Amino acid sequence: MIQKITIFEGNQKTGCAIWHVYRDKLQQVTPPDNAQHCNLKLTDVKPLIRVTRMKTYSTDQIRNVALLGNTGSGKTLLAESMMFEGKVIERKGTIEGKNTVSDYSEIEQQNQRSIFSTILYTEFNDRKLNIIDTPGSDDFVGGVITSMYAADIMVMVINGQYGVEVGTEIFNRHAERMNKPLILAINQLDHEKANFDQTLDSLKHVYGSKVVLAQYPVNAGPDFDSFIDVITMKMYKFKGDTGIREEFPIPDTEADRAAELHNALVESAAENDESLMEKFFEQGSLSEDEMRAGLSVGIRNRQIFPVFCVSGKRNIGTKRMMDFILNVGSNPALAPMHKNNNNSPIKCEASAPTSLFIFKSSIEPHIGEISYFRVMSGKVTEGMDLTNANNSTKERIAQLFVVAGKNRNKVTELAAGDIGATVKLKNTKTNHTLCGAGLDFTFDSMEFPNAKFRTAIRPKNEADTEKMSELLHKAHQEDPTILVEHSKELKQIIVSGQGEHHLNTLKWQLTNLNKLDIEFIPPRISYRETITKIAAADYRHKKQSGGAGQFGEVHIVIEPHVEGAPDPTKYKIAGKEVNISVRGKEEIPLEWGGKLVFYNCIVGGAIDARFLPAILKGIMEKMEEGPLTGSYARDIRVAVYDGKMHPVDSNEISFKLAGRNAFKTAFKEAGPKIMEPVYDVEVLVPSDRMGDVMSDLQNRRAIIMGMGSVKGFEVINAKVPLAELNKYSTALSSLTSGRATYNMKFSAYEQVPSDVQEKLLKAYEAEEVEE
């Protein structure tokens, strides 16, 4: 079975199986049986295809790496160099040339940045490196989270010009939360503004004493071509951007510094193993194998963050870093185990029953849905039948692929710990678990950050509403951080994401790929209405029309609901005290938050008990469409204490209407207030932009709850009304030149200030007139 296809131009010296394309047909050229290589000189045939077979890698031969880092740190070009070193590609692409393996989508090429996570692989030293290139913008953090879940080793790529950036800190927080080990790769050391020492200082400020140099550059800057490796104690010098290196002894001028750093590295390695520590104290050094073992444990336990020097663009240091990952980085069997829904850790063993976790889905033109998975245990083979443990449906793995960007290479088997893809699963989505015979569990779902940007969306042609809804549903399947809400309350379709750029990307896809004209409009706010004091009202519904009439009269008292308050015993109504006898109580938690407490205080049979549910129904109808602005009402106690009925004309509809209108009248007399959703907001900002951000927050009616600092950034904690957060991500980016970020989560509903309430009431009245 063909496992890997590489296209060449011109004459090539190749391996044993050579195919060429001639007049649109594949024809085979077979070298002599005893020949290891042959030279082809074909005049009529230009494109050549070399066919090789990919071996099945065992768990201990696999390493899973995610490349993390701020936008512009150079992850994509580093991935190109890693694939080039493994001969998965024969020449490296460039961002400007729009021909990298990672950034193959049209919108990524237009923006010249990674927007989606891309699964890649390379084969190196008879082992397999699965590589996931991730987006650098916080707007696309969903792709980073899924990648970190699938990978065991995180390579944090640092821009040598700027050091730790806001993206570095954001992704570091996620790595810390997910207990993922980090290798630090200082990239772009060939840039004229590269500053290794300053970058190293910023790393130490964030990671502290856990930062340990494995390498340092000899000549950072435009002439960068050499670095000292304090693990092997050699100097490596590179020729151009070929990746070809020469090894030299460490120059005398660097000998003392290299020896000092080597000893620090050995000591760090020894600290993670008691026996190694004893040996280190006795002998003063460790063998290379012992040092590797100690480093492996330290990195896996997040006690060591080794620093490497690279230039992804010029392929400097790539091969040495790959060597380190393969020799020191944990294979999937040694990495921390994933837990299932029974809180049981699952060993990553090929001999165990099969389980897969779908960590990413995408929909590709002409192919359909592609499901990317990690083999959590056992082996998966082509044609295998598995059960979706999330919905108990059966799935057949009809085809198996390893992928490098949009290129899919068929394989017949993947072992525990490996990453692969399949197509056309019927009922399996991201976060689902597929199990083989004898297993019935799910793995813990991936957790994503709360949305922080929202907008309403509608098609320009109303007839396209259903099509738009289907496409939005598919978008959520591909990117779980895109949230879609068909809001009955707001009468809008609300789309939420991680930032304006995130949702503008969605809009671009709908418009350009799906040919659907849509527009974003300001989202309405889910206000709430409540009351601040006691009020009483009565209402008589009377209607006579020939036959049986309608009659119902209801007297009620309403007051604010306070959790834990005692039941009422008397009210002052129209200047008179009225004793209340509670005959029945119904406490109703409301879907939109808060409660309605309904008391039956009828005495003497003034209203028959069978009409009380109708009165409650009428009140609930008005709670769903508040008297002030049509928003949901909440946290109200209602006591029905008197009324009248007619022996013939009274019925349920009469008392429903009487209860509804009595409640509406009382509500307007009870000090009605509009409540707005308020969010807890945490802003991470460079210190030199702190004042600008603070001023902007205060202009947004924010209440500053506290300030602090964390790892080189200032932190502002504030409570901010949702109405004031519209397009805040764009404003914050503008204020800080993209160097700040924030997160937000719902806190509570709070009463709006009087001037804001007045504006809202006028806006609602104007809207009612227009309708």
Side-chain angles (χ1 to χ4, degrees):
M1 179 176 294
I2 295 173
Q3 303 293 351
K4 183 169 71 175
I5 298 175
T6 309
I7 298 177
F8 295 83
E9 299 290 335
N11 298 333
Q12 296 285 334
K13 180 181 285 187
T14 68
C16 305
I18 301 172
W19 296 67
H20 68 263
V21 181
Y22 180 57
R23 292 177 182 172
D24 297 323
K25 293 182 180 178
L26 273 176
Q27 300 176 354
Q28 186 175 21
V29 179
T30 307
D33 290 340
N34 60 352
Q36 292 184 346
H37 296 88
C38 67
N39 287 307
L40 291 181
K41 294 183 179 178
L42 303 173
T43 57
D44 297 323
V45 180
K46 292 194 176 177
L48 294 179
I49 297 176
R50 183 178 69 190
V51 180
T52 61
R53 294 181 182 274
M54 177 179 280
K55 61 176 283 188
T56 299
Y57 288 91
S58 60
T59 303
D60 65 334
Q61 294 176 311
I62 296 166
R63 301 293 184 275
N64 296 318
V65 175
L67 302 180
L68 313 178
N70 200 77
T71 298
S73 58
K75 301 179 296 297
T76 295
L77 292 184
L78 181 59
E80 288 285 305
S81 290
M82 293 172 81
M83 287 184 286
F84 177 78
E85 288 295 344
K87 305 306 177 188
V88 172
I89 56 176
E90 294 298 321
R91 73 171 64 91
K92 296 183 297 173
T94 65
I95 303 299
E96 298 76 18
K98 301 181 180 180
N99 57 354
T100 63
V101 180
S102 290
D103 296 347
Y104 61 87
S105 70
E106 184 181 349
I107 190 169
E108 288 178 309
Q109 292 171 359
Q110 281 186 13
N111 284 270
Q112 296 197 354
R113 60 158 66 175
S114 297
I115 288 174
F116 312 106
S117 61
T118 306
I119 318 303
L120 312 162
Y121 76 91
T122 192
E123 297 171 278
F124 190 72
N125 292 346
D126 202 33
R127 283 172 284 183
K128 184 186 179 193
L129 262 174
N130 290 312
I131 307 161
I132 310 180
D133 183 19
T134 68
S137 168
D138 190 30
D139 275 36
F140 306 102
V141 70
V144 180
I145 299 294
T146 59
S147 304
M148 293 174 70
Y149 190 98
D152 303 309
I153 303 161
M154 310 297 115
V155 175
M156 185 71 80
V157 183
I158 311 296
N159 190 327
Q161 303 170 68
Y162 308 120
V164 172
E165 300 174 83
V166 68
T168 316
E169 176 55 29
I170 292 167
F171 303 141
N172 177 54
R173 285 183 169 194
H174 291 301
E176 192 172 0
R177 175 178 63 82
M178 298 171 74
N179 194 31
K180 295 290 185 177
L182 287 178
I183 290 172
L184 307 174
I186 301 180
N187 193 20
Q188 301 188 44
L189 287 170
D190 55 329
H191 195 279
E192 61 180 10
K193 293 183 179 178
N195 189 322
F196 179 80
D197 292 335
Q198 186 174 300
T199 299
L200 183 62
D201 286 343
S202 71
L203 288 172
K204 288 180 177 179
H205 190 68
V206 172
Y207 300 105
S209 60
K210 295 179 182 180
V211 172
V212 180
L213 280 183
Q215 298 168 348
Y216 68 91
V218 173
N219 55 343
D223 298 327
F224 173 60
D225 65 354
S226 307
F227 60 77
I228 306 292
D229 191 308
V230 300
I231 300 175
T232 60
M233 290 302 283
K234 294 176 182 176
M235 184 177 82
Y236 296 95
K237 189 178 181 67
F238 292 79
K239 295 182 178 179
D241 59 359
T242 62
I244 297 172
R245 70 188 187 193
E246 294 180 283
E247 297 180 5
F248 295 95
I250 294 174
D252 292 342
T253 53
E254 299 293 334
D256 290 343
R257 184 184 181 189
E260 183 181 348
L261 291 171
H262 176 79
N263 289 336
L265 187 68
V266 172
E267 187 172 350
S268 294
E271 286 174 351
N272 292 281
D273 185 295
E274 195 171 318
S275 61
L276 290 179
M277 180 60 82
E278 290 178 4
K279 187 168 185 179
F280 175 71
F281 281 131
E282 289 174 6
Q283 301 180 3
S285 64
L286 298 175
S287 69
E288 191 169 330
D289 286 343
E290 289 168 337
M291 184 165 62
R292 283 178 179 173
L295 288 173
S296 182
V297 174
I299 293 169
R300 188 162 63 244
N301 293 335
R302 288 180 53 85
Q303 295 302 307
I304 295 176
F305 299 130
V307 176
F308 286 80
C309 300
V310 295
S311 169
K313 183 178 181 178
R314 293 174 56 192
N315 194 15
I316 294 176
T318 310
K319 185 184 295 185
R320 180 68 191 104
M321 188 180 75
M322 291 166 67
D323 280 332
F324 183 85
I325 291 170
L326 290 170
N327 293 328
V328 178
S330 296
N331 69 61
L334 296 176
M337 290 182 280
H338 291 270
K339 292 183 178 181
N340 63 17
N341 58 324
N342 300 318
N343 203 34
S344 300
I346 302 300
K347 289 184 178 180
C348 188
E349 295 177 337
S351 58
T354 300
S355 64
L356 312 180
F357 182 79
I358 311 298
F359 67 90
K360 173 181 165 70
S361 303
S362 68
I363 299 171
E364 298 283 351
H366 314 300
I367 297 171
E369 188 167 350
I370 303 176
S371 301
Y372 299 89
F373 60 83
R374 172 172 166 141
V375 185
M376 307 298 273
S377 61
K379 295 180 180 180
V380 60
T381 57
E382 199 172 58
M384 177 179 275
D385 290 321
L386 299 171
T387 300
N388 184 319
N390 294 81
N391 54 33
S392 302
T393 57
K394 300 291 183 182
E395 297 281 14
R396 170 160 290 188
I397 308 297
Q399 299 179 83
L400 271 180
F401 301 97
V402 294
V403 293
K406 65 181 178 182
N407 303 313
R408 289 168 294 280
N409 302 321
K410 287 190 71 174
V411 293
T412 56
E413 180 180 277
L414 293 172
D418 213 341
I419 290 173
T422 189
V423 295
K424 297 179 180 177
L425 297 179
K426 296 176 182 177
N427 299 295
T428 299
K429 308 299 177 186
T430 300
N431 261 334
H432 283 188
T433 301
L434 296 178
C435 291
L439 295 183
D440 184 20
F441 57 71
T442 60
F443 286 98
D444 290 342
S445 294
M446 296 175 286
E447 296 180 9
F448 298 99
N450 296 323
K452 55 190 181 186
F453 189 92
R454 62 195 288 273
T455 185
I457 184 173
R458 67 185 178 195
K460 291 184 178 179
N461 183 346
E462 196 173 336
D464 289 330
T465 301
E466 186 175 345
K467 178 183 178 182
M468 184 187 75
S469 295
E470 290 175 1
L471 291 171
L472 290 175
H473 178 67
K474 289 179 179 179
H476 172 69
Q477 290 178 354
E478 288 191 78
D479 181 356
T481 61
I482 292 175
L483 304 178
V484 183
E485 178 192 1
H486 294 257
S487 176
K488 173 187 170 186
E489 175 191 0
L490 302 178
K491 300 179 178 64
Q492 288 181 321
I493 298 175
I494 304 293
V495 181
S496 303
Q498 294 298 310
E500 188 168 15
H501 186 28
H502 187 202
L503 294 191
N504 281 340
T505 300
L506 170 65
K507 184 178 182 180
W508 184 94
Q509 291 175 299
L510 293 174
T511 303
N512 293 275
L513 303 184
N514 303 114
K515 308 304 178 186
L516 178 67
D517 285 332
I518 58 101
E519 60 183 349
F520 288 158
I521 57 176
R524 299 187 180 113
I525 302 296
S526 299
Y527 291 107
R528 296 289 181 264
E529 298 180 16
T530 193
I531 57 176
T532 58
K533 63 182 183 180
I534 296 172
D538 57 80
Y539 189 88
R540 174 180 291 183
H541 174 75
K542 185 177 181 180
K543 187 175 181 182
Q544 199 70 37
S545 56
Q550 294 180 0
F551 182 88
E553 184 176 323
V554 173
H555 296 239
I556 65 171
V557 178
I558 67 173
E559 65 178 323
H561 166 66
V562 178
E563 200 68 43
D567 294 336
T569 57
K570 59 184 175 182
Y571 288 113
K572 195 169 186 178
I573 301 171
K576 297 180 181 179
E577 282 198 356
V578 177
N579 292 321
I580 295 293
S581 177
V582 176
R583 301 300 179 90
K585 177 182 177 181
E586 196 168 345
E587 197 167 300
I588 304 161
L590 303 170
E591 291 178 15
W592 52 88
K595 287 182 179 179
L596 168 67
V597 182
F598 181 74
Y599 291 103
N600 170 15
C601 303
I602 297 294
V603 293
I607 300 176
D608 199 288
R610 63 194 172 97
F611 294 131
L612 287 170
I615 297 171
L616 175 58
K617 186 175 182 181
I619 292 169
M620 279 299 297
E621 283 183 1
K622 207 58 197 166
M623 292 280 289
E624 290 183 16
E625 188 182 347
L628 295 180
T629 61
S631 304
Y632 290 135
R634 57 175 283 169
D635 296 324
I636 298 172
R637 298 205 308 187
V638 180
V640 181
Y641 69 93
D642 201 359
K644 292 180 182 178
M645 61 182 178
H646 189 278
V648 176
D649 293 344
S650 288
N651 53 27
E652 289 186 359
I653 188 67
S654 301
F655 277 100
K656 185 183 89 166
L657 292 171
R660 174 189 172 96
N661 286 294
F663 178 79
K664 179 179 178 180
T665 302
F667 193 98
K668 291 183 176 180
E669 299 297 324
K673 282 287 185 180
I674 298 173
M675 304 176 74
E676 64 182 347
V678 174
Y679 278 68
D680 287 323
V681 176
E682 181 190 66
V683 186
L684 203 66
V685 59
S687 57
D688 61 320
R689 300 300 173 92
M690 181 79 159
D692 294 337
V693 173
M694 283 281 287
S695 296
D696 180 69
L697 281 171
Q698 287 164 350
N699 290 336
R700 295 173 184 272
R701 297 195 283 125
I703 298 174
I704 306 300
M705 305 302 292
M707 291 177 286
S709 59
V710 56
K711 299 174 181 177
F713 291 88
E714 301 300 320
V715 179
I716 306 170
N717 290 294
K719 290 190 179 292
V720 190
L722 179 62
E724 302 292 343
L725 288 169
N726 188 34
K727 296 194 174 182
Y728 181 60
S729 63
T730 308
L732 183 64
S733 179
S734 177
L735 282 170
T736 64
S737 302
R739 295 165 58 208
T741 188
Y742 75 104
N743 59 66
M744 54 186 273
K745 66 177 181 178
F746 174 73
S747 174
Y749 271 90
E750 303 287 350
Q751 292 181 15
V752 301
S754 300
D755 60 325
V756 175
Q757 176 157 324
E758 194 173 325
K759 289 177 184 177
L760 291 172
L761 290 175
K762 286 180 179 177
Y764 180 70
E765 288 168 8
E767 212 173 277
E768 290 286 286
V769 170
E770 286 178 13
E771 292 179 1

